[in-house]
């Protein structure tokens, strides 16, 4: 699966949603109390789509950076950086990861 998600914006939007939910419920514990790692994950792009965090991220084309991609969700993900362009990737490349 290929996704384009901006990491910083995704985290900021997730926090905003949590705070707005707490405001809507007139939470006596306050918005800061409503913030947790689990709640934050639920409100990220992958969480809203009910998708798990990736096990493997393949970055093709020789770039060795995440480029603001799924920053919160990639904390425990294996990263594979390859010079091969995306359209030329094959199963044999995946065995490297």
């Amino acid at each position: 699966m290929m996704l384009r998600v901006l990491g910083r914006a995704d985290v900021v939007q997730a926090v905003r949603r949590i705070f707005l939910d707490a405001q809507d419920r007139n939470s006596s514990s306050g918005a800061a109390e409503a913030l947790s790692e689990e709640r934050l994950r639920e409100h990220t792009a992958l969480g809203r789509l009910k998708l798990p965090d990736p096990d493997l991220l393949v970055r093709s084309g020789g770039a060795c950076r995440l480029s603001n991609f799924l920053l919160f969700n990639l904390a425990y993900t294996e990263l594979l950086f390859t010079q091969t362009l995306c359209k030329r990737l094959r199963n044999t490349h995946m065995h490297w990861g």
Side-chain angles (χ1 to χ4, degrees), residues 30-47:
E33 304 291 321
L35 186 59
S36 69
E37 185 176 332
E38 183 178 323
R39 292 262 326 203
L40 186 58
R41 201 232 171 273
E42 289 172 3
H43 287 277
T44 62
L46 291 183

Side-chain angles (χ1 to χ4, degrees), residues 7-41:
R8 291 179 183 174
D10 190 34
V11 172
V12 169
Q13 288 298 320
V15 171
R16 282 187 181 145
R17 283 187 201 95
I18 292 168
F19 284 174
L20 289 173
D21 286 351
Q23 271 183 336
D24 289 346
R25 288 183 280 122
N26 291 323
S27 175
S28 60
S29 60
E33 304 291 321
L35 186 59
S36 69
E37 185 176 332
E38 183 178 323
R39 292 262 326 203
L40 186 58
R41 201 232 171 273

Side-chain angles (χ1 to χ4, degrees), residues 52-70:
D53 290 342
D55 292 322
L56 174 67
L57 172 77
V58 178
R59 178 66 196 250
S60 62
C64 293
R65 63 184 186 279
L66 295 179
S67 299
N68 197 27
F69 180 74
L70 292 175

